Each structure stands twice: as structure tokens, then as C-alpha cells.
Amino acid sequence: MLRKGFLGLVSDWVAHSLDAHPRDLGIALKAFGMDSLVRHAGDTEDLSMLLSEWIVFDHTSPAFGGMTGLAYFCSHNPLRLPESDMSAYRELLDFQVGYFEVVSVKPAQSVVLHDMKGTEYDVADISSSMNLTAGGTIWTRIAQIAGVYQMVGSQVVREPFTYSPNMKKTIIAWGKNAVDAKHAATMKYGGNGTDTKKSDDDKYLPEKEAAQAFDEALAVAGMNSMISSATIKKWENNERKFPLGFSMKAVFFLMPENLTSKQRDHISSMLQIYLHNLPRKVLKGKTPLQASAEQKSEERHFDVDMYSYEDYADDIHGANALMPHDPEKAYTAYERLIRRLLDEKVPIITAFRIFCNAGLCLLMQSKDGIDPLGFELIYASLRLNPLYDFGLRQKERRIDPLHNLSGVPKKDRLFSKGLISLIEDRGRNRYRRTVFRKYEKSLEEAGISLTYKTATTPTLFRARKDGAMVKIGRNDPCYCGSGKKFKKCCGK
């Protein structure tokens, strides 16, 4: 364990040094948001400890030559300490700060922590081992001193959160030590450098009023034909089929691509208000806000998630890029993508494009341009979104001519009709056994419609002789095999 006063020595020196530079101290206090945080803090002593930690470990100051207080202390050894001490202080520089999950506790010895990447640390800290419980999330700072991980910050902050894998990815992307003591103070005391007010998401509203506000937000964004407050209520009352957090995730991925950030934020906010004011069976008829108000603050717990289209962008773009030169592999890639969406319960708004592109892949592989499953996938894309213009063009170009029997002799028309019917029946039968049908069925059961007007066409590429992928030019032959230039065909 660290000897008594080890951390206090450097902390006191940094504080004393910064006091001698009032201008730099003022800049640090303002950057930390101290004035606002003090107004919200119930315990200013704890807040002062976080400020001190931030100045020592995290904040670079002109008073220390653009370094942190600790870095300057280690570089200049202003107190002329022996090398054995300075060696230990230099080990503090390789700290890790942020959120950790408590995996297990050894009372009066240590705690085992996982960071957001899942890396395990056995941290020696008697106090924490007597106060923390497995399964919790904490904010703390650790460093390895003389080969032993120890907590080296001023505080251990318990967080009432459980982070999803997506949220962990987001935190990891912020970079090492991004969640510093300033961040911890902001989270703990509800300040962000400005005065904060009670969140709009915490408003108490009658269920009917909250539902109406959410439906109005959907209507403004053109999403009222897809889902409604009644759909959300159905999901929230069936947690066996629609797990916790499904509503927020579903609405995020159902938002059309042409919405502004302001529209997206408004829909999310109205949904959050509705969810907080919606009575639940699992809460014995209470709303989440009512149930939360009856809990002690330390008992409240929140599941935090983060969603992004980028999670699926590589799969979508990769399959699109395969279409022109390897439709067989492209079909497999689209099939794999739909299976992933189904497994992860994601009703993504662009699913109808994936269906149509998969159908085209099958038709492109066929020598005569006829593939029963390919036809049915195009039909399915139009069931998902009857307004999908690209799908309508593919139906018009590839399916409708089969039904035009004007050039067929009368004596052969009955046979031709039977043949067409046989092809389409075979397509429907094959479709029933695919993951595409399972995904369409999951949308039906959830009460989701993907209908919205779209004038977008998949981004298409072709392979050059050297193997490089380049976007199809306006005057290149169309990928669909019509013989026309791209600009006069699918690129029209």
C-alpha cells in the first residue's frame, strides 16, 4: 500500500504552487466549472478533492510549463526528494482513470476491476474492498506502484449505471483517460460549467398527454405511419419479447436518413418522456418516474446504451461493393447482415434496400434473368416500403414483363400464366425458409412499417482491371445488365 502522505505531498505542492499564480488558478477553476458545481454540490469538500485531483493529474497549466502538476513535479523534483521516492512518483504518471466494473471483492484486501475493454486489474485498496460490491460500476484512478495496482485518486465515485457493449465502445473511442476528474465531478454534481435545470426527460405528465406529445413528434418527422405511442406501449408491456431498451433502440434505427439533428433529438426526448410516464406491469402499474421517486438515491440504477448506424455501415457498404463483380458473395453478405439485424433485434429503416439488393444479386447470377427467390425478395422489399422507388423500378424492369402476355399467342397464354404462377409460387416457398422472411415477420409482429418516401439508390461500384473498386460513372454500362448507360437506367 502507498505510505501515508505519499499522494498528499504532491497534491499540497501543486496547490501551493498554483496559489502563487492567481491568473492560472482562475483559468483552472473556470475550466473545471467550479462556480456552477458548487451551487449543485451538497458536499463541497468532496468537490474540492476532485478539483485538487484534476489539477494534479489531468489539467495542463501555464504555471507548470503546459504540463500537469504531477508531470512538472516528476520532471523538476522541486522538493529534492530521493530517487527512490521520485521513481514511485514517476510510476503515477502511467495512471488509468475512468469507469470500471467491479468484478469481485476480497474483503480487507483488494477489488478486481474490469475497464471498458474488459482488461482485468487486481487493485489493492482496503477501504474500497470494505465498501464496494460486485456488479457495480465505479469511477476511480489506478496506477501500478512497485508492481501493485492501487487506487491513487482522491475518491471512488459509485455510479448507478450499467453500460451496454455499444456504450463501452463509445467510451473506449473517447481515448485513454478521457473520463477524468472533471468529468466525474460533472456527473456527480449535475453541472457542466453552466447552471443546470431538471431534465425535460424527468417531467411528470399524464400518460395520454405524454403519448400525444410523442405522436406529434413522429408526425412532424413523417414517422407516424411507421409506429405510434400505442406501438411503444405494446413493446413496453411485453418484456419477454421486447427486452429492456428495445423501444429506444428501435426508434433510433427507424428514423429516416433525411431528419435533422434537431428532429432526431426532439423525437428521442419525447420518447424518453413518454417512457418515463408510461405505467408498467412489472412496476405494478406505476410509471418509472413514480417507482424511481420511491427509491433511495443509492438504490437507483440505470442501463446506459448508445446506438450508431456505423455499427452496420461496414457490412452494408461491403455488400454493396460486391454486387457488380461478385453477386453470389454479395447475396451471402446481405443474408449475413439480415441475420445479424434479426439476432440483435434492430428494425433498421433501410432494410427494404437490403432485401431488394439481395434479390438483384440472385437475378444477376441467373443466365436468363429469372430467379424465383430474387423476384420474391423484390416483392418483399416493396411490402416493407411500397414507396421505394428503386424497388418499383426493378419490379417494372424485371418482373412486370413476365406478366405481359400481349406478344404470346393466345393458344400459349394459359400455359404461360401457369408457368409464371409456378415461378412465383416457388419463389414464395423458397422465401419462407430464408432469414429474410424471419426478419420481415419480426417487423410484422412488432407492428412496424418501414414506409417512407425515398429517392435514394444504393451506392454502386465496379471493379477495374487492376482490381480496384471505383464508383460507376454516369456513362458506364448499367450494372443491371440492361445494356443502357447507367445515367439512363438505374442511375436515372
Side-chain angles (χ1 to χ4, degrees):
M1 300 296 293
L2 294 175
R3 70 173 183 271
K4 188 175 181 180
F6 180 84
L7 294 171
L9 181 69
V10 66
S11 181
D12 289 344
W13 179 86
V14 169
H16 178 74
S17 299
L18 203 57
D19 282 342
H21 297 79
R23 183 174 176 275
D24 292 344
L25 178 59
I27 291 172
L29 292 172
K30 186 175 181 180
F32 192 74
M34 192 65 179
D35 286 347
S36 175
L37 290 169
V38 166
R39 287 195 289 272
H40 295 276
D43 186 342
T44 54
E45 183 179 347
D46 280 358
L47 181 58
S48 296
M49 290 170 65
L50 283 171
L51 170 64
S52 176
E53 178 177 341
W54 182 68
I55 290 172
V56 170
F57 286 93
D58 306 316
H59 176 61
T60 57
S61 171
F64 302 120
M67 301 180 183
T68 65
L70 176 64
Y72 187 91
F73 184 86
C74 290
S75 298
H76 294 76
N77 189 10
L79 300 181
R80 300 294 182 262
L81 300 177
E83 176 56 27
S84 57
D85 282 2
M86 292 309 300
S87 176
Y89 282 116
R90 281 193 287 272
E91 286 188 291
L92 281 177
L93 290 169
D94 191 24
F95 64 82
Q96 185 165 341
V97 63
Y99 296 123
F100 295 86
E101 295 175 333
V102 181
V103 179
S104 61
V105 176
K106 301 174 187 174
Q109 293 185 50
S110 65
V111 292
V112 176
L113 305 178
H114 277 180
D115 64 16
M116 294 294 102
K117 291 182 179 179
T119 306
E120 186 168 293
Y121 303 90
D122 194 341
V123 183
D125 193 282
I126 294 174
S127 177
S128 293
S129 71
M130 301 300 289
N131 292 291
L132 298 179
T133 55
T137 302
I138 62 171
W139 175 91
T140 191
R141 189 183 306 267
I142 62 174
Q144 193 174 36
I145 311 295
V148 179
Y149 275 103
Q150 304 183 52
M151 292 184 182
V152 296
S154 61
Q155 293 188 59
V156 175
V157 181
R158 296 194 200 196
E159 300 288 7
F161 307 130
T162 298
Y163 291 115
S164 72
N166 285 332
M167 191 64 203
K168 289 178 183 178
K169 284 182 188 176
T170 301
I171 294 173
I172 292 167
W174 293 346
K176 184 181 178 182
N177 300 336
V179 187
D180 60 15
K182 176 184 174 182
H183 181 106
T186 301
M187 291 297 291
K188 184 171 182 179
Y189 298 109
N192 58 2
T194 60
D195 287 333
T196 57
K197 298 179 180 178
K198 187 176 177 66
S199 168
D200 284 343
D201 294 349
D202 293 333
K203 285 181 179 176
Y204 284 94
L205 287 178
E207 178 189 348
K208 188 175 180 180
E209 188 176 333
Q212 183 178 348
F214 175 60
D215 286 333
E216 287 173 357
L218 292 176
V220 169
M223 293 177 63
N224 51 318
S225 62
M226 301 180 196
I227 54 172
S228 67
S229 58
T231 314
I232 301 297
K233 188 171 184 177
K234 169 187 171 182
W235 296 342
E236 293 298 317
N237 284 329
N238 189 352
E239 288 189 3
R240 289 183 62 187
K241 192 160 194 174
F242 306 104
L244 187 67
F246 176 80
S247 296
M248 189 60 72
K249 178 168 69 173
V251 171
F252 175 87
F253 284 108
L254 287 174
M255 291 186 195
E257 300 153 296
N258 59 353
L259 294 189
T260 64
S261 296
K262 187 175 181 180
Q263 287 174 313
R264 290 176 177 275
D265 290 344
H266 182 59
I267 291 169
S268 297
S269 179
M270 292 301 102
L271 174 59
Q272 195 72 272
I273 291 172
Y274 180 49
L275 290 174
H276 286 177
N277 289 278
L278 181 63
R280 312 292 173 84
K281 291 179 180 177
V282 293
L283 298 177
K284 299 179 180 179
K286 296 176 183 176
T287 70
L289 279 183
Q290 289 170 337
S292 178
E294 293 174 4
Q295 286 182 309
K296 297 177 182 177
S297 59
E298 63 270 18
E299 294 175 341
R300 294 174 189 170
H301 189 87
F302 307 92
D303 292 294
V304 181
D305 208 342
M306 178 70 72
Y307 313 113
S308 171
Y309 283 100
E310 295 303 312
D311 293 338
Y312 305 97
D314 288 346
D315 290 348
I316 293 172
H317 295 324
N320 288 348
L322 286 169
M323 271 186 73
H325 65 94
D326 198 336
E328 183 176 359
K329 283 187 178 178
Y331 175 82
T332 301
Y334 286 126
E335 190 177 47
R336 185 166 55 245
L337 172 58
I338 289 295
R339 183 172 286 107
R340 182 185 170 197
L341 292 170
L342 182 66
D343 291 343
E344 297 177 11
K345 296 185 182 293
V346 176
I348 201 165
I349 185 65
T350 54
F352 50 81
R353 293 187 199 163
I354 300 169
F355 276 57
C356 188
N357 285 0
L360 285 176
C361 287
L362 295 176
L363 296 177
M364 290 162 69
Q365 294 178 61
S366 173
K367 292 181 180 179
D368 55 9
I370 294 176
D371 185 287
L373 180 55
F375 288 156
E376 187 58 28
L377 281 167
I378 291 175
Y379 279 130
S381 75
L382 293 173
R383 286 197 295 272
L384 297 179
N385 185 350
L387 302 178
Y388 182 35
D389 57 339
F390 183 76
L392 290 169
R393 288 204 301 275
Q394 300 316 308
K395 177 179 175 293
E396 179 183 348
R397 179 178 294 120
R398 296 173 178 274
I399 299 176
D400 291 351
L402 285 178
H403 294 270
N404 182 3
L405 302 180
S406 59
V408 177
K410 287 186 178 180
K411 63 182 180 64
D412 296 331
R413 288 182 184 176
L414 185 61
F415 173 78
S416 296
K417 285 183 180 179
L419 184 60
I420 294 168
S421 179
L422 182 64
I423 291 172
E424 294 189 333
D425 283 346
R426 185 172 296 170
R428 283 189 287 270
N429 288 333
R430 285 177 60 188
Y431 180 71
R432 289 190 191 105
R433 298 190 293 273
T434 67
V435 69
F436 294 95
R437 173 54 189 148
K438 291 179 181 177
Y439 187 75
E440 183 183 4
K441 187 178 180 182
S442 73
L443 296 177
E444 292 170 354
E445 291 175 345
I448 296 171
S449 165
L450 301 184
T451 301
Y452 80 105
K453 192 169 180 58
T454 171
T456 51
T457 305
T459 302
L460 297 167
F461 298 83
R462 63 179 175 82
R464 288 196 316 221
K465 290 182 179 179
D466 62 3
M469 298 303 298
V470 294
K471 193 173 180 178
I472 292 179
R474 284 169 46 77
N475 293 310
D476 288 341
C478 188
Y479 74 93
C480 73
S482 65
K484 299 178 183 179
K485 291 183 178 180
F486 180 66
K487 67 181 180 182
K488 293 186 177 293
C489 192
C490 294
K492 190 174 180 180

